[in-house]
Amino acid sequence: MLRILIPTDFSENAWNAIQYGLALYQNSKCEFHLIHIHPIPPYSGAGSSVRSKAKIYESYLLQESEEKLQALLERISALPFNTDHNFFVKAQHDFFVGAIKRESEERKIHMIIMGTKGASGLKKVALGSNTGDVITKVKCPLLAVPEEAVYKVPREIVFPTDYHISYDVKVLDTLIAMAVMNESTIRVLHISKKGEELNGDQLENQDFLDDYLADVDHTFHSLTGTKLEAAVQCFTESRDVDMIAMVAKSLNFFQRILFRPAVEEISYHTKIPFLVLHE
């Protein structure tokens, strides 16, 4: 059974991520772990009476969060598709990334689903933000769902790569599982500079990909002479892509697409879910 972790702050953006995740896995029986984390405030050095009052207030906040989580379960039960899953809820005071990391390790989570917010979508996901920190610091596959994303079966998954890294089979197994579950086609996309050809190592990595993806529908594509971010944008629009998947290990390549697009040119960050693959 798949175990899926969804952090929530009870916003509509977080609700959209929950709806997307439940729709995505509606034909599978899963464990969904919904967690709300109150961040631990910086230590103030205050006296014992102040700390005592703070603990009482924290207890009140946790109780309030637990009530909201129960209300969230009722909202989920009213959704018009399969909700025949096992749900677990948890509210706690903790450091956000540390809590997510512990939950994912202790519960052997297969996928984290988080919403992303803002007109520039994932561009605002810098290293100091929750989703950005989880992406870069928690070694668990993560699906980032933009606030404008509307669920549809991901029939087309684009997999941008520079072929400079060798692929761990665990990473590819996550990608293949997503494709098999949705009868998707994986579009492997390489963007190169004009006149640039693949070297021997890159060709080996491409051949390995071709062999390992043999049991799923996949194609290889190459775009030349264009900026990486714009190339992904062009490809997603021309192919009507439903999901973008990338390996977090390829940090420079990964961050150029995920963190540094030109807002006025790039729209996929606000609409298309981004599957982050970890070894």
PDB file of all heavy atoms in Angstrom, residues 160-186:
ATOM      1  N   PRO A 160      12.851  16.262 -18.459  1.00  0.00           N
ATOM      2  CA  PRO A 160      14.022  16.990 -18.974  1.00  0.00           C
ATOM      3  C   PRO A 160      15.307  16.428 -18.382  1.00  0.00           C
ATOM      4  O   PRO A 160      15.367  16.115 -17.188  1.00  0.00           O
ATOM      5  CB  PRO A 160      13.787  18.433 -18.503  1.00  0.00           C
ATOM      6  CG  PRO A 160      12.353  18.487 -18.074  1.00  0.00           C
ATOM      7  CD  PRO A 160      12.024  17.109 -17.603  1.00  0.00           C
ATOM      8  N   THR A 161      16.315  16.294 -19.194  1.00  0.00           N
ATOM      9  CA  THR A 161      17.589  15.754 -18.722  1.00  0.00           C
ATOM     10  C   THR A 161      18.730  16.276 -19.585  1.00  0.00           C
ATOM     11  O   THR A 161      18.538  16.598 -20.764  1.00  0.00           O
ATOM     12  CB  THR A 161      17.581  14.215 -18.763  1.00  0.00           C
ATOM     13  OG1 THR A 161      18.862  13.727 -18.342  1.00  0.00           O
ATOM     14  CG2 THR A 161      17.283  13.691 -20.160  1.00  0.00           C
ATOM     15  N   ASP A 162      19.908  16.375 -18.983  1.00  0.00           N
ATOM     16  CA  ASP A 162      21.097  16.729 -19.765  1.00  0.00           C
ATOM     17  C   ASP A 162      21.968  15.499 -20.014  1.00  0.00           C
ATOM     18  O   ASP A 162      23.040  15.609 -20.613  1.00  0.00           O
ATOM     19  CB  ASP A 162      21.911  17.826 -19.067  1.00  0.00           C
ATOM     20  CG  ASP A 162      22.319  17.464 -17.647  1.00  0.00           C
ATOM     21  OD1 ASP A 162      22.133  16.294 -17.250  1.00  0.00           O
ATOM     22  OD2 ASP A 162      22.814  18.351 -16.932  1.00  0.00           O
ATOM     23  N   TYR A 163      21.520  14.335 -19.535  1.00  0.00           N
ATOM     24  CA  TYR A 163      22.237  13.060 -19.690  1.00  0.00           C
ATOM     25  C   TYR A 163      23.606  13.058 -19.017  1.00  0.00           C
ATOM     26  O   TYR A 163      24.424  12.173 -19.275  1.00  0.00           O
ATOM     27  CB  TYR A 163      22.427  12.704 -21.177  1.00  0.00           C
ATOM     28  CG  TYR A 163      21.155  12.464 -21.940  1.00  0.00           C
ATOM     29  CD1 TYR A 163      20.884  13.180 -23.106  1.00  0.00           C
ATOM     30  CD2 TYR A 163      20.218  11.520 -21.525  1.00  0.00           C
ATOM     31  CE1 TYR A 163      19.723  12.969 -23.834  1.00  0.00           C
ATOM     32  CE2 TYR A 163      19.046  11.306 -22.235  1.00  0.00           C
ATOM     33  CZ  TYR A 163      18.806  12.041 -23.389  1.00  0.00           C
ATOM     34  OH  TYR A 163      17.647  11.822 -24.093  1.00  0.00           O
ATOM     35  N   HIS A 164      23.864  14.018 -18.148  1.00  0.00           N
ATOM     36  CA  HIS A 164      25.177  14.072 -17.509  1.00  0.00           C
ATOM     37  C   HIS A 164      25.256  13.221 -16.246  1.00  0.00           C
ATOM     38  O   HIS A 164      26.340  13.036 -15.704  1.00  0.00           O
ATOM     39  CB  HIS A 164      25.560  15.521 -17.162  1.00  0.00           C
ATOM     40  CG  HIS A 164      26.098  16.287 -18.328  1.00  0.00           C
ATOM     41  ND1 HIS A 164      27.203  15.889 -19.040  1.00  0.00           N
ATOM     42  CD2 HIS A 164      25.676  17.437 -18.908  1.00  0.00           C
ATOM     43  CE1 HIS A 164      27.445  16.756 -20.012  1.00  0.00           C
ATOM     44  NE2 HIS A 164      26.524  17.703 -19.958  1.00  0.00           N
ATOM     45  N   ILE A 165      24.119  12.727 -15.764  1.00  0.00           N
ATOM     46  CA  ILE A 165      24.157  11.890 -14.565  1.00  0.00           C
ATOM     47  C   ILE A 165      23.700  10.480 -14.927  1.00  0.00           C
ATOM     48  O   ILE A 165      22.909  10.275 -15.847  1.00  0.00           O
ATOM     49  CB  ILE A 165      23.254  12.450 -13.445  1.00  0.00           C
ATOM     50  CG1 ILE A 165      21.777  12.480 -13.884  1.00  0.00           C
ATOM     51  CG2 ILE A 165      23.711  13.824 -13.005  1.00  0.00           C
ATOM     52  CD1 ILE A 165      20.818  12.778 -12.764  1.00  0.00           C
ATOM     53  N   SER A 166      24.246   9.511 -14.184  1.00  0.00           N
ATOM     54  CA  SER A 166      23.750   8.144 -14.318  1.00  0.00           C
ATOM     55  C   SER A 166      22.505   8.025 -13.452  1.00  0.00           C
ATOM     56  O   SER A 166      22.397   8.664 -12.405  1.00  0.00           O
ATOM     57  CB  SER A 166      24.822   7.141 -13.880  1.00  0.00           C
ATOM     58  OG  SER A 166      25.247   7.420 -12.565  1.00  0.00           O
ATOM     59  N   TYR A 167      21.563   7.206 -13.875  1.00  0.00           N
ATOM     60  CA  TYR A 167      20.264   7.181 -13.218  1.00  0.00           C
ATOM     61  C   TYR A 167      20.137   6.003 -12.259  1.00  0.00           C
ATOM     62  O   TYR A 167      20.327   4.855 -12.643  1.00  0.00           O
ATOM     63  CB  TYR A 167      19.150   7.140 -14.263  1.00  0.00           C
ATOM     64  CG  TYR A 167      19.180   8.344 -15.166  1.00  0.00           C
ATOM     65  CD1 TYR A 167      19.809   8.289 -16.409  1.00  0.00           C
ATOM     66  CD2 TYR A 167      18.631   9.546 -14.759  1.00  0.00           C
ATOM     67  CE1 TYR A 167      19.872   9.407 -17.227  1.00  0.00           C
ATOM     68  CE2 TYR A 167      18.686  10.673 -15.566  1.00  0.00           C
ATOM     69  CZ  TYR A 167      19.308  10.591 -16.799  1.00  0.00           C
ATOM     70  OH  TYR A 167      19.373  11.697 -17.593  1.00  0.00           O
ATOM     71  N   ASP A 168      19.827   6.317 -11.020  1.00  0.00           N
ATOM     72  CA  ASP A 168      19.563   5.292 -10.028  1.00  0.00           C
ATOM     73  C   ASP A 168      18.225   4.629 -10.368  1.00  0.00           C
ATOM     74  O   ASP A 168      17.239   5.309 -10.657  1.00  0.00           O
ATOM     75  CB  ASP A 168      19.495   5.949  -8.647  1.00  0.00           C
ATOM     76  CG  ASP A 168      19.369   4.929  -7.526  1.00  0.00           C
ATOM     77  OD1 ASP A 168      18.239   4.426  -7.337  1.00  0.00           O
ATOM     78  OD2 ASP A 168      20.366   4.650  -6.853  1.00  0.00           O
ATOM     79  N   VAL A 169      18.171   3.312 -10.318  1.00  0.00           N
ATOM     80  CA  VAL A 169      16.951   2.609 -10.726  1.00  0.00           C
ATOM     81  C   VAL A 169      15.782   2.946  -9.799  1.00  0.00           C
ATOM     82  O   VAL A 169      14.623   2.925 -10.231  1.00  0.00           O
ATOM     83  CB  VAL A 169      17.172   1.081 -10.792  1.00  0.00           C
ATOM     84  CG1 VAL A 169      18.156   0.742 -11.892  1.00  0.00           C
ATOM     85  CG2 VAL A 169      17.640   0.526  -9.454  1.00  0.00           C
ATOM     86  N   LYS A 170      16.063   3.269  -8.529  1.00  0.00           N
ATOM     87  CA  LYS A 170      14.983   3.646  -7.616  1.00  0.00           C
ATOM     88  C   LYS A 170      14.289   4.913  -8.106  1.00  0.00           C
ATOM     89  O   LYS A 170      13.061   5.032  -8.022  1.00  0.00           O
ATOM     90  CB  LYS A 170      15.549   3.855  -6.205  1.00  0.00           C
ATOM     91  CG  LYS A 170      14.487   4.160  -5.157  1.00  0.00           C
ATOM     92  CD  LYS A 170      15.109   4.336  -3.782  1.00  0.00           C
ATOM     93  CE  LYS A 170      14.056   4.697  -2.733  1.00  0.00           C
ATOM     94  NZ  LYS A 170      14.664   4.927  -1.397  1.00  0.00           N
ATOM     95  N   VAL A 171      15.066   5.857  -8.614  1.00  0.00           N
ATOM     96  CA  VAL A 171      14.516   7.088  -9.175  1.00  0.00           C
ATOM     97  C   VAL A 171      13.613   6.764 -10.362  1.00  0.00           C
ATOM     98  O   VAL A 171      12.475   7.244 -10.462  1.00  0.00           O
ATOM     99  CB  VAL A 171      15.659   8.030  -9.620  1.00  0.00           C
ATOM    100  CG1 VAL A 171      15.134   9.134 -10.529  1.00  0.00           C
ATOM    101  CG2 VAL A 171      16.338   8.638  -8.408  1.00  0.00           C
ATOM    102  N   LEU A 172      14.122   5.949 -11.251  1.00  0.00           N
ATOM    103  CA  LEU A 172      13.362   5.608 -12.449  1.00  0.00           C
ATOM    104  C   LEU A 172      12.141   4.760 -12.122  1.00  0.00           C
ATOM    105  O   LEU A 172      11.109   4.875 -12.797  1.00  0.00           O
ATOM    106  CB  LEU A 172      14.260   4.892 -13.458  1.00  0.00           C
ATOM    107  CG  LEU A 172      15.429   5.729 -13.993  1.00  0.00           C
ATOM    108  CD1 LEU A 172      16.260   4.918 -14.965  1.00  0.00           C
ATOM    109  CD2 LEU A 172      14.929   7.009 -14.670  1.00  0.00           C
ATOM    110  N   ASP A 173      12.229   3.942 -11.083  1.00  0.00           N
ATOM    111  CA  ASP A 173      11.076   3.130 -10.685  1.00  0.00           C
ATOM    112  C   ASP A 173       9.910   4.016 -10.244  1.00  0.00           C
ATOM    113  O   ASP A 173       8.740   3.710 -10.514  1.00  0.00           O
ATOM    114  CB  ASP A 173      11.448   2.169  -9.550  1.00  0.00           C
ATOM    115  CG  ASP A 173      12.287   0.996 -10.042  1.00  0.00           C
ATOM    116  OD1 ASP A 173      12.337   0.776 -11.269  1.00  0.00           O
ATOM    117  OD2 ASP A 173      12.907   0.318  -9.201  1.00  0.00           O
ATOM    118  N   THR A 174      10.210   5.123  -9.566  1.00  0.00           N
ATOM    119  CA  THR A 174       9.156   6.062  -9.167  1.00  0.00           C
ATOM    120  C   THR A 174       8.500   6.682 -10.391  1.00  0.00           C
ATOM    121  O   THR A 174       7.267   6.795 -10.464  1.00  0.00           O
ATOM    122  CB  THR A 174       9.733   7.179  -8.273  1.00  0.00           C
ATOM    123  OG1 THR A 174      10.331   6.605  -7.109  1.00  0.00           O
ATOM    124  CG2 THR A 174       8.640   8.156  -7.843  1.00  0.00           C
ATOM    125  N   LEU A 175       9.308   7.067 -11.356  1.00  0.00           N
ATOM    126  CA  LEU A 175       8.795   7.641 -12.593  1.00  0.00           C
ATOM    127  C   LEU A 175       7.964   6.621 -13.365  1.00  0.00           C
ATOM    128  O   LEU A 175       6.866   6.924 -13.850  1.00  0.00           O
ATOM    129  CB  LEU A 175       9.966   8.133 -13.447  1.00  0.00           C
ATOM    130  CG  LEU A 175       9.615   8.717 -14.830  1.00  0.00           C
ATOM    131  CD1 LEU A 175       8.726   9.942 -14.694  1.00  0.00           C
ATOM    132  CD2 LEU A 175      10.896   9.055 -15.598  1.00  0.00           C
ATOM    133  N   ILE A 176       8.466   5.402 -13.450  1.00  0.00           N
ATOM    134  CA  ILE A 176       7.753   4.340 -14.171  1.00  0.00           C
ATOM    135  C   ILE A 176       6.425   4.023 -13.484  1.00  0.00           C
ATOM    136  O   ILE A 176       5.394   3.847 -14.157  1.00  0.00           O
ATOM    137  CB  ILE A 176       8.636   3.079 -14.284  1.00  0.00           C
ATOM    138  CG1 ILE A 176       9.789   3.337 -15.261  1.00  0.00           C
ATOM    139  CG2 ILE A 176       7.823   1.874 -14.738  1.00  0.00           C
ATOM    140  CD1 ILE A 176      10.852   2.248 -15.258  1.00  0.00           C
ATOM    141  N   ALA A 177       6.432   3.975 -12.158  1.00  0.00           N
ATOM    142  CA  ALA A 177       5.197   3.687 -11.422  1.00  0.00           C
ATOM    143  C   ALA A 177       4.136   4.740 -11.705  1.00  0.00           C
ATOM    144  O   ALA A 177       2.950   4.418 -11.879  1.00  0.00           O
ATOM    145  CB  ALA A 177       5.484   3.609  -9.925  1.00  0.00           C
ATOM    146  N   MET A 178       4.546   6.014 -11.768  1.00  0.00           N
ATOM    147  CA  MET A 178       3.605   7.078 -12.085  1.00  0.00           C
ATOM    148  C   MET A 178       3.053   6.907 -13.495  1.00  0.00           C
ATOM    149  O   MET A 178       1.846   7.077 -13.731  1.00  0.00           O
ATOM    150  CB  MET A 178       4.305   8.441 -11.951  1.00  0.00           C
ATOM    151  CG  MET A 178       3.391   9.641 -12.178  1.00  0.00           C
ATOM    152  SD  MET A 178       2.107   9.830 -10.915  1.00  0.00           S
ATOM    153  CE  MET A 178       3.095  10.349  -9.502  1.00  0.00           C
ATOM    154  N   ALA A 179       3.925   6.542 -14.435  1.00  0.00           N
ATOM    155  CA  ALA A 179       3.501   6.362 -15.822  1.00  0.00           C
ATOM    156  C   ALA A 179       2.566   5.164 -15.975  1.00  0.00           C
ATOM    157  O   ALA A 179       1.543   5.245 -16.669  1.00  0.00           O
ATOM    158  CB  ALA A 179       4.719   6.204 -16.723  1.00  0.00           C
ATOM    159  N   VAL A 180       2.901   4.067 -15.322  1.00  0.00           N
ATOM    160  CA  VAL A 180       2.071   2.859 -15.419  1.00  0.00           C
ATOM    161  C   VAL A 180       0.693   3.103 -14.815  1.00  0.00           C
ATOM    162  O   VAL A 180      -0.331   2.720 -15.375  1.00  0.00           O
ATOM    163  CB  VAL A 180       2.773   1.670 -14.725  1.00  0.00           C
ATOM    164  CG1 VAL A 180       1.815   0.496 -14.589  1.00  0.00           C
ATOM    165  CG2 VAL A 180       4.014   1.259 -15.515  1.00  0.00           C
ATOM    166  N   MET A 181       0.659   3.767 -13.660  1.00  0.00           N
ATOM    167  CA  MET A 181      -0.609   4.023 -12.979  1.00  0.00           C
ATOM    168  C   MET A 181      -1.565   4.843 -13.837  1.00  0.00           C
ATOM    169  O   MET A 181      -2.785   4.653 -13.794  1.00  0.00           O
ATOM    170  CB  MET A 181      -0.347   4.756 -11.660  1.00  0.00           C
ATOM    171  CG  MET A 181      -1.589   5.039 -10.844  1.00  0.00           C
ATOM    172  SD  MET A 181      -1.215   5.784  -9.224  1.00  0.00           S
ATOM    173  CE  MET A 181      -0.684   7.434  -9.711  1.00  0.00           C
ATOM    174  N   ASN A 182      -1.005   5.734 -14.652  1.00  0.00           N
ATOM    175  CA  ASN A 182      -1.837   6.644 -15.441  1.00  0.00           C
ATOM    176  C   ASN A 182      -1.814   6.358 -16.945  1.00  0.00           C
ATOM    177  O   ASN A 182      -2.361   7.129 -17.722  1.00  0.00           O
ATOM    178  CB  ASN A 182      -1.371   8.086 -15.199  1.00  0.00           C
ATOM    179  CG  ASN A 182      -1.560   8.521 -13.770  1.00  0.00           C
ATOM    180  OD1 ASN A 182      -2.675   8.760 -13.329  1.00  0.00           O
ATOM    181  ND2 ASN A 182      -0.459   8.612 -13.019  1.00  0.00           N
ATOM    182  N   GLU A 183      -1.158   5.232 -17.319  1.00  0.00           N
ATOM    183  CA  GLU A 183      -0.996   4.898 -18.735  1.00  0.00           C
ATOM    184  C   GLU A 183      -0.407   6.091 -19.492  1.00  0.00           C
ATOM    185  O   GLU A 183      -0.863   6.482 -20.562  1.00  0.00           O
ATOM    186  CB  GLU A 183      -2.334   4.467 -19.351  1.00  0.00           C
ATOM    187  CG  GLU A 183      -2.915   3.221 -18.703  1.00  0.00           C
ATOM    188  CD  GLU A 183      -4.234   2.784 -19.323  1.00  0.00           C
ATOM    189  OE1 GLU A 183      -4.776   3.531 -20.162  1.00  0.00           O
ATOM    190  OE2 GLU A 183      -4.721   1.689 -18.973  1.00  0.00           O
ATOM    191  N   SER A 184       0.630   6.653 -18.892  1.00  0.00           N
ATOM    192  CA  SER A 184       1.264   7.858 -19.435  1.00  0.00           C
ATOM    193  C   SER A 184       2.354   7.526 -20.436  1.00  0.00           C
ATOM    194  O   SER A 184       2.923   6.431 -20.432  1.00  0.00           O
ATOM    195  CB  SER A 184       1.885   8.678 -18.295  1.00  0.00           C
ATOM    196  OG  SER A 184       1.000   8.849 -17.220  1.00  0.00           O
ATOM    197  N   THR A 185       2.657   8.501 -21.270  1.00  0.00           N
ATOM    198  CA  THR A 185       3.839   8.454 -22.117  1.00  0.00           C
ATOM    199  C   THR A 185       4.893   9.367 -21.513  1.00  0.00           C
ATOM    200  O   THR A 185       4.601  10.500 -21.126  1.00  0.00           O
ATOM    201  CB  THR A 185       3.519   8.933 -23.543  1.00  0.00           C
ATOM    202  OG1 THR A 185       2.558   8.061 -24.128  1.00  0.00           O
ATOM    203  CG2 THR A 185       4.775   8.933 -24.413  1.00  0.00           C
ATOM    204  N   ILE A 186       6.113   8.861 -21.380  1.00  0.00           N
ATOM    205  CA  ILE A 186       7.221   9.658 -20.866  1.00  0.00           C
ATOM    206  C   ILE A 186       7.966  10.272 -22.046  1.00  0.00           C
ATOM    207  O   ILE A 186       8.439   9.556 -22.939  1.00  0.00           O
ATOM    208  CB  ILE A 186       8.174   8.796 -20.014  1.00  0.00           C
ATOM    209  CG1 ILE A 186       7.437   8.223 -18.804  1.00  0.00           C
ATOM    210  CG2 ILE A 186       9.382   9.618 -19.565  1.00  0.00           C
ATOM    211  CD1 ILE A 186       8.249   7.211 -18.013  1.00  0.00           C
TER     212      ILE A 186
END
